[in-house]
Every structure is written in C-alpha cells, then in structure tokens.
Amino acid sequence: MGAPGPGRVPADRSGCPDPGRRAVLLGGIGATAAVGLTAGCTGAGPVGDDARPTGAVTPPTAAGSAGAGTVTFHGEHQSGVVTPPPPFASVVGLSLAEGADRETCRRLMRVLTSDIAALTSARPPVTDLEPELAEVPARLTVTVGLGPGFYEAAGLVGDRPHWLVPLPRFPIDRLEDRWGQSDLVLQVCADSPVSVAHAQRRLVVGAEPLVRQVWVQRGFREPLTDQRPGLLFRNLFGQVDGTVQPDVTGGEADLLWLGPAAPRGLRGGTSMVVRRIAMDLEAWDRADRTAREGSIGRDLPTGAPLTGGSPTDPPDLAATDGLGFHVIDDASHVRRAMAAEPHERILRRPYSYDDVPPSGSRSDSGLVFISFQADPVRQYVPIQRRLAEADLLNIWTTPVGSAVYAVLPGVLPGEVLAEELLA
C-alpha cells in the first residue's frame, strides 16, 4: 500500500466489542480471552434473514406513528439510493488505519455488514451500549461507498473503476481539505435525527480501530408525508431542487446501476458524488425576486420553469419575451444544467446543511449535494463543467468539498459487503 492519505491514523485497541467482534478485529484472539475483554457489555440476538427487495418498507408498528417502519438491508442494490429520502442524513468520511491491508478491509466489511443489518432492522448491534435507541423504527438506511484509498490498501488498484478519481478542479471551486476525499463513506439517513446520530456513532465506534472518522456532513430536508407525498426538495434559497430525475426504475436504469460490464465486485452498484456547496444567504437576501428567478430559470413559488407548466415539465429554452430575449436566461441554472446528451442525467439526492456559524457571521449554510450515476466522468462532469463556466447561481454559491465513491452492490442474507471484490 502507498503512503497513507490525509487523516489516516495508527490503529489502537480501545473499545468494548463482543467476543466475535473482537476476534474479527484482532484476528485470531482466543474465545476465552475475548470473553474477558467484553465483561459488562450489552449483547443482542442474531440478525434476521430478510430477503425482500431493497427499498421495501414495513408497515408502521403503531397506527398514525410517523416514520415507524424499516427499510430492508438485503437486496440486489443497497438502500439509500432510490429509497425515498427521509428528512435527516449524515454523510461520514472514514480513513483506513495506518498499515491497512486486504485482510483489514475484509474484517471491516464483516463488521459493517453485521452492524448495518441490525440497525436497519431496528435491532441493536451486539456492541450497542444504548440498545433502546436502536429499537425505534425510523426508515433507517445506510449506504456504503469505497474511495480510491480502499482499493490501494486492499491491493486492488487494477480493479478500481476508471471513474473513481478526483473530479476535475472547476474554476468555481474553493475546496477545503477538511471536506475532501476519504477511503470510505457512509450515508446514514432516517426519519429521526436521534436514529441518525445513534447509527452513525455505533457504526464508527464499532469499526474502530480499523477506521477513523475524518469528517461528518449532516443534512436535512422536508419530510415526505401522507398529506404531501410528492413534495419536492427546496434548498435554503427556497429553490425547488432535483426536479429532473432519470427513470431509474424503467428505461434509464443503466444510467444508475452498473451492469454485466462493471468492474469486479461492482455489478449492481453505482457511483456517488458528494459536493459540499456553501450558499451566501446574506447576499441572497439582498437579491430581488426578479434576480432570483432569473438566475434559476424557475418560478420560485411553484418550481415550474419560467416558461410555464409544472416543476417536472421541460423548460421551453427557445421562448423569447417582447424584446426578443430568452425568457430563460442563457446563463440560468436551468439552462446550464440541462442535459446536452441523453446520457448526461444523474439521480440527485441533496440535503441542506445549516451549521453553527463562526464568530462574526450570521450563518454557515449550504447544500450537501449527493448524486448517483453509473459513470460520473461521463454523466456528472459535463453538467458541472457547464455550470462552472456560466451559471448565474455561482454569484451566491461556492463548492468547498468534493469526493467520489464506488457504491457497493447490495447483499443477500449470509453475504458480506464487498465479498466478491475482496475474495
């Protein structure tokens, strides 16, 4: 393995896992010694074998209880990609420990598989010291992605997808190292912020000392309810975001899921782009409605294109006003983001963030932009290039973080994440 990337740390031996977990982490520790290490720790029963298709949701456990359901972990694809996005998310960047190798990666995947299967079934992992927090169903999903460093540590550079490389440095980027590429990513989403926080901690603590958390990006969005089942996501500019999505359950599934020609171990997987975009709400507050709608190319109250229709209707880019100017500005976000080729379509799954501002500032807000696509170089990069060249929204937005991951395929009961890749 090459030199460790930023944030990699030597492994320590702290924690209080169960005998099986500690044996997995340390590799070969005796059962008697392992039992001694775990005295006083809380245990849990085995994880059930639920083989429903990924994304299936169980009925609520109590009539009228919001979000009281589980999303199955097992299936052809990982959940958290096409699953309807719940209102709370935490995206966690992880670095492998110093000296990690393929066996380290195998142990890590066994631990993550076990813990994710338990948590998404509303059952505590075997090392959970707050099991009551895990037992509240909240449509929890956890999605695992691999960065280039994982392939390097496992000695699998030859199997790394050609697109698993840093995105080009776009002219508008002001990237900060603290939001940069990591060896792995966990996308943790749920109806409850308590469930997200608990699952995040249990997964990270349970995986130590094999990995160390290097950044966390928390986000939120409007909840989907029975009263507003089709509610579109609005970012903190009040802009309806993610209106144009590919039909990934029908004729455009190949734009999302990797098929038979996928690199080893990724058939049924996809790619994930994570971009952290700071939004200047102070300057946006000073812009009038005409400037706001002109920069976006949409009617803010309805989300429809300025040429009319519904939020999901295609804009009429040829329409002109009485002076002969395009109704939708040539540098508007809608026009610049439009696909120039049929394959330039991505599945957007963004979340807003609103962090504690630094002293002297009123806000630290923006967008954790997440997109899934089969090939980010072919699908995502052309769109971002056009936006970087001439998008009026660039006046108020600045990308400060960027990372790309290979999202593993789903697993069936008895299988382990990345099992084929690490065989």
Side-chain angles (χ1 to χ4, degrees), residues 397-416:
T397 61
T398 304
V400 295
S402 184
V404 182
Y405 301 94
V407 175
L408 292 164
V411 294
L412 297 177
E415 296 179 340
V416 174

mmCIF file with all atom_site columns, all heavy atoms in Angstrom, residues 397-416:
data_model
loop_
_atom_site.group_PDB
_atom_site.id
_atom_site.type_symbol
_atom_site.label_atom_id
_atom_site.label_alt_id
_atom_site.label_comp_id
_atom_site.label_asym_id
_atom_site.label_entity_id
_atom_site.label_seq_id
_atom_site.pdbx_PDB_ins_code
_atom_site.Cartn_x
_atom_site.Cartn_y
_atom_site.Cartn_z
_atom_site.occupancy
_atom_site.B_iso_or_equiv
_atom_site.pdbx_formal_charge
_atom_site.auth_seq_id
_atom_site.auth_comp_id
_atom_site.auth_asym_id
_atom_site.auth_atom_id
_atom_site.pdbx_PDB_model_num
ATOM 1   N N   . THR A 1 397 ? -23.071 30.898  -4.696 1.00 0.00 ? 397 THR A N   1
ATOM 2   C CA  . THR A 1 397 ? -22.682 29.568  -4.232 1.00 0.00 ? 397 THR A CA  1
ATOM 3   C C   . THR A 1 397 ? -21.195 29.311  -4.492 1.00 0.00 ? 397 THR A C   1
ATOM 4   O O   . THR A 1 397 ? -20.637 29.804  -5.472 1.00 0.00 ? 397 THR A O   1
ATOM 5   C CB  . THR A 1 397 ? -23.491 28.463  -4.942 1.00 0.00 ? 397 THR A CB  1
ATOM 6   O OG1 . THR A 1 397 ? -23.247 28.525  -6.357 1.00 0.00 ? 397 THR A OG1 1
ATOM 7   C CG2 . THR A 1 397 ? -24.979 28.636  -4.683 1.00 0.00 ? 397 THR A CG2 1
ATOM 8   N N   . THR A 1 398 ? -20.581 28.497  -3.598 1.00 0.00 ? 398 THR A N   1
ATOM 9   C CA  . THR A 1 398 ? -19.165 28.155  -3.738 1.00 0.00 ? 398 THR A CA  1
ATOM 10  C C   . THR A 1 398 ? -18.962 26.701  -3.318 1.00 0.00 ? 398 THR A C   1
ATOM 11  O O   . THR A 1 398 ? -19.194 26.355  -2.142 1.00 0.00 ? 398 THR A O   1
ATOM 12  C CB  . THR A 1 398 ? -18.287 29.053  -2.841 1.00 0.00 ? 398 THR A CB  1
ATOM 13  O OG1 . THR A 1 398 ? -18.526 30.422  -3.149 1.00 0.00 ? 398 THR A OG1 1
ATOM 14  C CG2 . THR A 1 398 ? -16.815 28.730  -3.058 1.00 0.00 ? 398 THR A CG2 1
ATOM 15  N N   . PRO A 1 399 ? -18.518 25.826  -4.216 1.00 0.00 ? 399 PRO A N   1
ATOM 16  C CA  . PRO A 1 399 ? -18.189 24.449  -3.810 1.00 0.00 ? 399 PRO A CA  1
ATOM 17  C C   . PRO A 1 399 ? -16.948 24.438  -2.918 1.00 0.00 ? 399 PRO A C   1
ATOM 18  O O   . PRO A 1 399 ? -15.904 24.985  -3.283 1.00 0.00 ? 399 PRO A O   1
ATOM 19  C CB  . PRO A 1 399 ? -17.913 23.741  -5.147 1.00 0.00 ? 399 PRO A CB  1
ATOM 20  C CG  . PRO A 1 399 ? -18.583 24.599  -6.186 1.00 0.00 ? 399 PRO A CG  1
ATOM 21  C CD  . PRO A 1 399 ? -18.450 25.992  -5.680 1.00 0.00 ? 399 PRO A CD  1
ATOM 22  N N   . VAL A 1 400 ? -17.068 23.833  -1.732 1.00 0.00 ? 400 VAL A N   1
ATOM 23  C CA  . VAL A 1 400 ? -15.945 23.783  -0.792 1.00 0.00 ? 400 VAL A CA  1
ATOM 24  C C   . VAL A 1 400 ? -15.521 22.349  -0.479 1.00 0.00 ? 400 VAL A C   1
ATOM 25  O O   . VAL A 1 400 ? -14.541 22.137  0.237  1.00 0.00 ? 400 VAL A O   1
ATOM 26  C CB  . VAL A 1 400 ? -16.293 24.523  0.515  1.00 0.00 ? 400 VAL A CB  1
ATOM 27  C CG1 . VAL A 1 400 ? -16.501 26.010  0.249  1.00 0.00 ? 400 VAL A CG1 1
ATOM 28  C CG2 . VAL A 1 400 ? -17.521 23.921  1.195  1.00 0.00 ? 400 VAL A CG2 1
ATOM 29  N N   . GLY A 1 401 ? -16.240 21.361  -0.976 1.00 0.00 ? 401 GLY A N   1
ATOM 30  C CA  . GLY A 1 401 ? -15.885 19.965  -0.741 1.00 0.00 ? 401 GLY A CA  1
ATOM 31  C C   . GLY A 1 401 ? -16.228 19.116  -1.939 1.00 0.00 ? 401 GLY A C   1
ATOM 32  O O   . GLY A 1 401 ? -17.181 19.414  -2.662 1.00 0.00 ? 401 GLY A O   1
ATOM 33  N N   . SER A 1 402 ? -15.444 18.059  -2.159 1.00 0.00 ? 402 SER A N   1
ATOM 34  C CA  . SER A 1 402 ? -15.670 17.205  -3.333 1.00 0.00 ? 402 SER A CA  1
ATOM 35  C C   . SER A 1 402 ? -15.083 15.830  -3.094 1.00 0.00 ? 402 SER A C   1
ATOM 36  O O   . SER A 1 402 ? -13.955 15.699  -2.611 1.00 0.00 ? 402 SER A O   1
ATOM 37  C CB  . SER A 1 402 ? -15.022 17.842  -4.567 1.00 0.00 ? 402 SER A CB  1
ATOM 38  O OG  . SER A 1 402 ? -15.299 17.105  -5.740 1.00 0.00 ? 402 SER A OG  1
ATOM 39  N N   . ALA A 1 403 ? -15.865 14.787  -3.421 1.00 0.00 ? 403 ALA A N   1
ATOM 40  C CA  . ALA A 1 403 ? -15.387 13.406  -3.270 1.00 0.00 ? 403 ALA A CA  1
ATOM 41  C C   . ALA A 1 403 ? -16.207 12.489  -4.172 1.00 0.00 ? 403 ALA A C   1
ATOM 42  O O   . ALA A 1 403 ? -17.353 12.801  -4.504 1.00 0.00 ? 403 ALA A O   1
ATOM 43  C CB  . ALA A 1 403 ? -15.483 12.943  -1.824 1.00 0.00 ? 403 ALA A CB  1
ATOM 44  N N   . VAL A 1 404 ? -15.616 11.371  -4.556 1.00 0.00 ? 404 VAL A N   1
ATOM 45  C CA  . VAL A 1 404 ? -16.264 10.377  -5.422 1.00 0.00 ? 404 VAL A CA  1
ATOM 46  C C   . VAL A 1 404 ? -16.067 8.998   -4.803 1.00 0.00 ? 404 VAL A C   1
ATOM 47  O O   . VAL A 1 404 ? -14.980 8.681   -4.294 1.00 0.00 ? 404 VAL A O   1
ATOM 48  C CB  . VAL A 1 404 ? -15.669 10.400  -6.844 1.00 0.00 ? 404 VAL A CB  1
ATOM 49  C CG1 . VAL A 1 404 ? -16.393 9.403   -7.742 1.00 0.00 ? 404 VAL A CG1 1
ATOM 50  C CG2 . VAL A 1 404 ? -15.735 11.793  -7.451 1.00 0.00 ? 404 VAL A CG2 1
ATOM 51  N N   . TYR A 1 405 ? -17.115 8.161   -4.874 1.00 0.00 ? 405 TYR A N   1
ATOM 52  C CA  . TYR A 1 405 ? -17.055 6.829   -4.286 1.00 0.00 ? 405 TYR A CA  1
ATOM 53  C C   . TYR A 1 405 ? -17.699 5.800   -5.210 1.00 0.00 ? 405 TYR A C   1
ATOM 54  O O   . TYR A 1 405 ? -18.608 6.126   -5.984 1.00 0.00 ? 405 TYR A O   1
ATOM 55  C CB  . TYR A 1 405 ? -17.778 6.814   -2.928 1.00 0.00 ? 405 TYR A CB  1
ATOM 56  C CG  . TYR A 1 405 ? -17.189 7.783   -1.942 1.00 0.00 ? 405 TYR A CG  1
ATOM 57  C CD1 . TYR A 1 405 ? -17.712 9.071   -1.808 1.00 0.00 ? 405 TYR A CD1 1
ATOM 58  C CD2 . TYR A 1 405 ? -16.087 7.425   -1.173 1.00 0.00 ? 405 TYR A CD2 1
ATOM 59  C CE1 . TYR A 1 405 ? -17.158 9.974   -0.920 1.00 0.00 ? 405 TYR A CE1 1
ATOM 60  C CE2 . TYR A 1 405 ? -15.527 8.329   -0.280 1.00 0.00 ? 405 TYR A CE2 1
ATOM 61  C CZ  . TYR A 1 405 ? -16.063 9.602   -0.162 1.00 0.00 ? 405 TYR A CZ  1
ATOM 62  O OH  . TYR A 1 405 ? -15.504 10.500  0.703  1.00 0.00 ? 405 TYR A OH  1
ATOM 63  N N   . ALA A 1 406 ? -17.232 4.567   -5.088 1.00 0.00 ? 406 ALA A N   1
ATOM 64  C CA  . ALA A 1 406 ? -17.877 3.426   -5.730 1.00 0.00 ? 406 ALA A CA  1
ATOM 65  C C   . ALA A 1 406 ? -18.826 2.812   -4.713 1.00 0.00 ? 406 ALA A C   1
ATOM 66  O O   . ALA A 1 406 ? -18.399 2.317   -3.666 1.00 0.00 ? 406 ALA A O   1
ATOM 67  C CB  . ALA A 1 406 ? -16.828 2.396   -6.168 1.00 0.00 ? 406 ALA A CB  1
ATOM 68  N N   . VAL A 1 407 ? -20.132 2.859   -5.005 1.00 0.00 ? 407 VAL A N   1
ATOM 69  C CA  . VAL A 1 407 ? -21.137 2.306   -4.100 1.00 0.00 ? 407 VAL A CA  1
ATOM 70  C C   . VAL A 1 407 ? -21.271 0.810   -4.371 1.00 0.00 ? 407 VAL A C   1
ATOM 71  O O   . VAL A 1 407 ? -21.539 0.395   -5.510 1.00 0.00 ? 407 VAL A O   1
ATOM 72  C CB  . VAL A 1 407 ? -22.487 3.011   -4.285 1.00 0.00 ? 407 VAL A CB  1
ATOM 73  C CG1 . VAL A 1 407 ? -23.569 2.349   -3.438 1.00 0.00 ? 407 VAL A CG1 1
ATOM 74  C CG2 . VAL A 1 407 ? -22.359 4.486   -3.929 1.00 0.00 ? 407 VAL A CG2 1
ATOM 75  N N   . LEU A 1 408 ? -21.071 0.023   -3.352 1.00 0.00 ? 408 LEU A N   1
ATOM 76  C CA  . LEU A 1 408 ? -21.105 -1.431  -3.495 1.00 0.00 ? 408 LEU A CA  1
ATOM 77  C C   . LEU A 1 408 ? -22.510 -1.921  -3.839 1.00 0.00 ? 408 LEU A C   1
ATOM 78  O O   . LEU A 1 408 ? -23.503 -1.276  -3.477 1.00 0.00 ? 408 LEU A O   1
ATOM 79  C CB  . LEU A 1 408 ? -20.642 -2.089  -2.195 1.00 0.00 ? 408 LEU A CB  1
ATOM 80  C CG  . LEU A 1 408 ? -19.166 -1.893  -1.848 1.00 0.00 ? 408 LEU A CG  1
ATOM 81  C CD1 . LEU A 1 408 ? -18.916 -2.229  -0.384 1.00 0.00 ? 408 LEU A CD1 1
ATOM 82  C CD2 . LEU A 1 408 ? -18.291 -2.745  -2.761 1.00 0.00 ? 408 LEU A CD2 1
ATOM 83  N N   . PRO A 1 409 ? -22.632 -3.056  -4.504 1.00 0.00 ? 409 PRO A N   1
ATOM 84  C CA  . PRO A 1 409 ? -23.957 -3.657  -4.692 1.00 0.00 ? 409 PRO A CA  1
ATOM 85  C C   . PRO A 1 409 ? -24.521 -4.132  -3.362 1.00 0.00 ? 409 PRO A C   1
ATOM 86  O O   . PRO A 1 409 ? -23.803 -4.205  -2.355 1.00 0.00 ? 409 PRO A O   1
ATOM 87  C CB  . PRO A 1 409 ? -23.676 -4.832  -5.634 1.00 0.00 ? 409 PRO A CB  1
ATOM 88  C CG  . PRO A 1 409 ? -22.232 -5.152  -5.430 1.00 0.00 ? 409 PRO A CG  1
ATOM 89  C CD  . PRO A 1 409 ? -21.558 -3.860  -5.117 1.00 0.00 ? 409 PRO A CD  1
ATOM 90  N N   . GLY A 1 410 ? -25.806 -4.454  -3.366 1.00 0.00 ? 410 GLY A N   1
ATOM 91  C CA  . GLY A 1 410 ? -26.432 -4.985  -2.162 1.00 0.00 ? 410 GLY A CA  1
ATOM 92  C C   . GLY A 1 410 ? -25.995 -6.406  -1.890 1.00 0.00 ? 410 GLY A C   1
ATOM 93  O O   . GLY A 1 410 ? -25.252 -7.022  -2.665 1.00 0.00 ? 410 GLY A O   1
ATOM 94  N N   . VAL A 1 411 ? -26.447 -6.923  -0.764 1.00 0.00 ? 411 VAL A N   1
ATOM 95  C CA  . VAL A 1 411 ? -26.108 -8.287  -0.371 1.00 0.00 ? 411 VAL A CA  1
ATOM 96  C C   . VAL A 1 411 ? -27.376 -9.040  -0.002 1.00 0.00 ? 411 VAL A C   1
ATOM 97  O O   . VAL A 1 411 ? -28.376 -8.453  0.406  1.00 0.00 ? 411 VAL A O   1
ATOM 98  C CB  . VAL A 1 411 ? -25.130 -8.314  0.821  1.00 0.00 ? 411 VAL A CB  1
ATOM 99  C CG1 . VAL A 1 411 ? -23.784 -7.738  0.439  1.00 0.00 ? 411 VAL A CG1 1
ATOM 100 C CG2 . VAL A 1 411 ? -25.712 -7.572  2.027  1.00 0.00 ? 411 VAL A CG2 1
ATOM 101 N N   . LEU A 1 412 ? -27.319 -10.351 -0.144 1.00 0.00 ? 412 LEU A N   1
ATOM 102 C CA  . LEU A 1 412 ? -28.391 -11.232 0.303  1.00 0.00 ? 412 LEU A CA  1
ATOM 103 C C   . LEU A 1 412 ? -28.044 -11.761 1.692  1.00 0.00 ? 412 LEU A C   1
ATOM 104 O O   . LEU A 1 412 ? -26.878 -11.661 2.119  1.00 0.00 ? 412 LEU A O   1
ATOM 105 C CB  . LEU A 1 412 ? -28.570 -12.379 -0.692 1.00 0.00 ? 412 LEU A CB  1
ATOM 106 C CG  . LEU A 1 412 ? -28.989 -11.970 -2.108 1.00 0.00 ? 412 LEU A CG  1
ATOM 107 C CD1 . LEU A 1 412 ? -29.068 -13.198 -3.014 1.00 0.00 ? 412 LEU A CD1 1
ATOM 108 C CD2 . LEU A 1 412 ? -30.308 -11.212 -2.102 1.00 0.00 ? 412 LEU A CD2 1
ATOM 109 N N   . PRO A 1 413 ? -29.010 -12.335 2.406  1.00 0.00 ? 413 PRO A N   1
ATOM 110 C CA  . PRO A 1 413 ? -28.702 -12.891 3.725  1.00 0.00 ? 413 PRO A CA  1
ATOM 111 C C   . PRO A 1 413 ? -27.537 -13.874 3.663  1.00 0.00 ? 413 PRO A C   1
ATOM 112 O O   . PRO A 1 413 ? -27.464 -14.718 2.769  1.00 0.00 ? 413 PRO A O   1
ATOM 113 C CB  . PRO A 1 413 ? -30.005 -13.593 4.117  1.00 0.00 ? 413 PRO A CB  1
ATOM 114 C CG  . PRO A 1 413 ? -31.075 -12.820 3.405  1.00 0.00 ? 413 PRO A CG  1
ATOM 115 C CD  . PRO A 1 413 ? -30.456 -12.435 2.093  1.00 0.00 ? 413 PRO A CD  1
ATOM 116 N N   . GLY A 1 414 ? -26.606 -13.736 4.579  1.00 0.00 ? 414 GLY A N   1
ATOM 117 C CA  . GLY A 1 414 ? -25.438 -14.607 4.619  1.00 0.00 ? 414 GLY A CA  1
ATOM 118 C C   . GLY A 1 414 ? -24.254 -14.070 3.845  1.00 0.00 ? 414 GLY A C   1
ATOM 119 O O   . GLY A 1 414 ? -23.143 -14.584 3.979  1.00 0.00 ? 414 GLY A O   1
ATOM 120 N N   . GLU A 1 415 ? -24.462 -13.040 3.024  1.00 0.00 ? 415 GLU A N   1
ATOM 121 C CA  . GLU A 1 415 ? -23.368 -12.436 2.266  1.00 0.00 ? 415 GLU A CA  1
ATOM 122 C C   . GLU A 1 415 ? -22.794 -11.246 3.024  1.00 0.00 ? 415 GLU A C   1
ATOM 123 O O   . GLU A 1 415 ? -23.404 -10.715 3.949  1.00 0.00 ? 415 GLU A O   1
ATOM 124 C CB  . GLU A 1 415 ? -23.857 -12.000 0.885  1.00 0.00 ? 415 GLU A CB  1
ATOM 125 C CG  . GLU A 1 415 ? -24.306 -13.150 -0.001 1.00 0.00 ? 415 GLU A CG  1
ATOM 126 C CD  . GLU A 1 415 ? -24.812 -12.685 -1.354 1.00 0.00 ? 415 GLU A CD  1
ATOM 127 O OE1 . GLU A 1 415 ? -25.176 -11.484 -1.486 1.00 0.00 ? 415 GLU A OE1 1
ATOM 128 O OE2 . GLU A 1 415 ? -24.863 -13.527 -2.278 1.00 0.00 ? 415 GLU A OE2 1
ATOM 129 N N   . VAL A 1 416 ? -21.613 -10.809 2.579  1.00 0.00 ? 416 VAL A N   1
ATOM 130 C CA  . VAL A 1 416 ? -20.911 -9.691  3.207  1.00 0.00 ? 416 VAL A CA  1
ATOM 131 C C   . VAL A 1 416 ? -20.626 -8.636  2.149  1.00 0.00 ? 416 VAL A C   1
ATOM 132 O O   . VAL A 1 416 ? -20.294 -8.968  1.003  1.00 0.00 ? 416 VAL A O   1
ATOM 133 C CB  . VAL A 1 416 ? -19.595 -10.173 3.862  1.00 0.00 ? 416 VAL A CB  1
ATOM 134 C CG1 . VAL A 1 416 ? -18.782 -8.999  4.402  1.00 0.00 ? 416 VAL A CG1 1
ATOM 135 C CG2 . VAL A 1 416 ? -19.881 -11.173 4.967  1.00 0.00 ? 416 VAL A CG2 1
#
